[in-house]
Amino acid sequence: MELFLDTANLEEIRQAVRLGVISGVTTNPSLAAKEGIGDLEAYKSAVLEIARLVHGPISVEVTALDAEGMVAQARDIAAWHPQVVVKLPSTVAGFQAMAVVCKEGIRVNQTLCFSLNQALLGARLGVAFISPFVGRLDDEGHQGMALVADIVHLVRRYAYPTKVLAASIRHPLHVVEAMRVGADIATVPFKVLMQMTHHPLTDVGIQRFTQDWEKAGLARSRP
Ligand code: E4P
């Protein structure tokens, strides 16, 4: 399973890239706003900087709410950089925009996907990625990961050329479950990526190896 980083923070991306496991980045207007980005020009500069750091898909979301506006923004955003994937929401306007831009060869990440029916519509329109939002479904008392599993089944059963991108990941167990149900990608916040590196028994193991090594060195240096 691939790992994308879910952030617009350049420092987090720089640090995550050093781990060598990140093959893409997802952003959204909230993540951009958190970094002080408030217009498409600033969003573009940040995305071009991200493209210098990560050699994989970078998802950038439209902010328009009507289909015409989304199509215009999608065309503009897609031209920023070859790595850019345009995020379009799972709404009537979003599907109408997908119907236009997918045919033009623009790669789309269908975002804010909360049902199998929405996923089917995106798959039929030829989106490159479908993003079920696991954490937000869990927050509402639903089983977010069950939707990921259903979408994986849908995409494989009918051989749609789309990747299932588990999004709204809140903790390391979500990543494990995404693997178990066969998601192609999980997009993780930096904090979760760091949590994934850690296990207390690894720390204890290192401590013990270091102590034993030092003891052996001391014993050998004694006359
Ligand atoms: C993914 O593409 C979204 O940006 C993200 O995963 C949303 O996560 P949240 O529900 O934690 O905001």
Side-chain angles (χ1 to χ4, degrees), residues 139-171:
D139 291 344
E140 292 299 314
H142 298 286
Q143 299 221 333
M145 205 53 72
L147 175 61
V148 179
D150 281 348
I151 298 174
V152 167
H153 176 74
L154 161 76
V155 163
R156 307 260 156 88
R157 166 68 180 79
Y158 295 101
Y160 287 115
T162 184
K163 288 192 171 177
V164 183
L165 198 172
S168 189
I169 295 289
R170 299 279 165 78
H171 47 70

Side-chain angles (χ1 to χ4, degrees), residues 4 6 13 18-19 50 56 82 90 102 105 107 124 126 129 146-147 156 162 181 186 216 221:
F4 287 2
D6 196 27
I13 295 169
R18 291 181 66 196
L19 278 179
I50 295 171
S90 308
C102 286
R107 284 191 303 162
R124 288 193 50 77
F129 303 91
L147 175 61
R156 307 260 156 88
T162 184
V181 301
S221 65

Side-chain angles (χ1 to χ4, degrees), residues 44 48 72-84 86 106:
K44 179 178 177 179
L48 295 183
Q73 278 188 352
R75 287 176 181 150
D76 176 32
I77 290 169
W80 289 356
H81 193 279
Q83 283 168 244
V84 166
V86 179
I106 290 175

